[in-house]
Amino acid sequence: MVDVVESAGAGAGADTPEDARPRRGVPSWVITVGSLVVLLGAWEIFGRDVNPVFGSYPSAIAEAAWQLARTGKLWTALLDSLRPFFLGYGLAIVIGVPVGLITGRFRTVEAAIGIYITAGYAMPLVALVPLLVLWLGLGFAVKVAVVFLMSVFPICINTWLGVTAVPKTLIEVGKSFVAPNAVILRRIILPATLPYIMAGIRLAVGRAVVAMVIAEFFTSISGLGAIIITSANNFDTATMFIPILVLMIMAIGLNYLIGAVERRVAPWQAEIAGRDE
């Protein structure tokens, strides 16, 4: 009888780990690479049948990119575009986050400037570019201003909403220890608001990239915007796609970089998230 029980238990133990073992899904990067291969393959096949004036295909774009990079024009244009982009975007983060924190924390400040932040986000800032040109000229300063104005409001609003979403009990804990407002803002509200701040910074990346190109179109034509305009005027569609793809890759890379920073400064967010792996 003992032998029968032991053999039955051994058989159950042998089957249980096999069934209970979690199934590993396909890695995300494999799905992403597969999606890109399918997209580029379809684009290459069907793009060859399109008139070169109206479209292009990956191999032609890659050849044009090689020629543009070999002459050095691509790197010069990229550097001209990145300088105002990073300065304007950096200023938007440095100014937008504190303004959003203060606006969400203090009711008086929210009543005073909250309406302007909301209006600035909804306002078509492209219409202000001619006015900014009159104020700042056609050079570097106006490009920084356009990038800053297009990207600062998403950061402000997301930070502001993050502060209002902080549980009241956390703030009351700080008050119970007689912590001043500055300490509550820095030690309690800021860590709790980090996911909202990083989301606003991510949203601002796309707007900053668009602002950079708009600034180059409406001011002194330079950088990647100059390549787009020149190649479009010459009906060189393959070359026109190069700066567009470069900007897309840059935005994707910055988005992943911001995500890595978020996982570094707010590691608890990934642990409490309900997303399936």
Side-chain angles (χ1 to χ4, degrees), residues 45-67:
I45 293 171
F46 296 106
R48 290 179 177 271
D49 297 330
V50 179
N51 190 319
V53 175
F54 301 108
S56 187
Y57 47 92
S59 59
I61 297 173
E63 183 179 355
W66 168 252
Q67 296 296 332

Side-chain angles (χ1 to χ4, degrees), residues 28-190:
S28 298
W29 68 268
V30 174
I31 300 175
T32 302
V33 172
S35 174
L36 286 173
V37 169
V38 172
L39 174 63
L40 294 177
W43 187 7
E44 181 73 25
I45 293 171
F46 296 106
R48 290 179 177 271
D49 297 330
V50 179
N51 190 319
V53 175
F54 301 108
S56 187
Y57 47 92
S59 59
I61 297 173
E63 183 179 355
W66 168 252
Q67 296 296 332
L68 203 62
R70 189 171 57 85
T71 59
K73 294 181 179 179
L74 179 60
W75 311 119
T76 303
L78 182 60
L79 181 62
D80 289 341
S81 296
L82 290 181
R83 287 171 55 236
F85 171 82
F86 280 116
L87 181 56
Y89 183 59
L91 286 174
I93 296 173
V94 171
I95 295 176
V97 172
V99 170
L101 288 172
I102 296 172
T103 304
R105 179 70 183 95
F106 302 104
R107 184 183 59 83
T108 305
V109 178
E110 181 179 0
I113 67 173
I115 187 173
Y116 303 117
I117 297 174
T118 305
Y121 179 76
M123 181 175 57
L125 294 172
V126 179
L128 293 181
V129 174
L131 184 60
L132 293 174
V133 169
L134 291 176
W135 291 347
L136 303 173
L138 295 171
F140 179 78
V142 69
K143 296 179 182 179
V144 174
V146 173
V147 174
F148 170 79
L149 289 175
M150 288 279 285
S151 55
V152 69
F153 293 110
I155 299 174
C156 277
I157 288 179
N158 267 62
T159 306
W160 174 10
L161 294 177
V163 174
T164 58
V166 175
K168 188 178 180 180
T169 54
L170 293 179
I171 300 176
E172 289 177 349
V173 169
K175 290 182 177 180
S176 66
F177 284 97
V178 199
N181 281 324
V183 175
I184 293 175
L185 193 65
R186 187 176 68 254
R187 297 290 182 87
I188 298 176
I189 295 177
L190 180 59

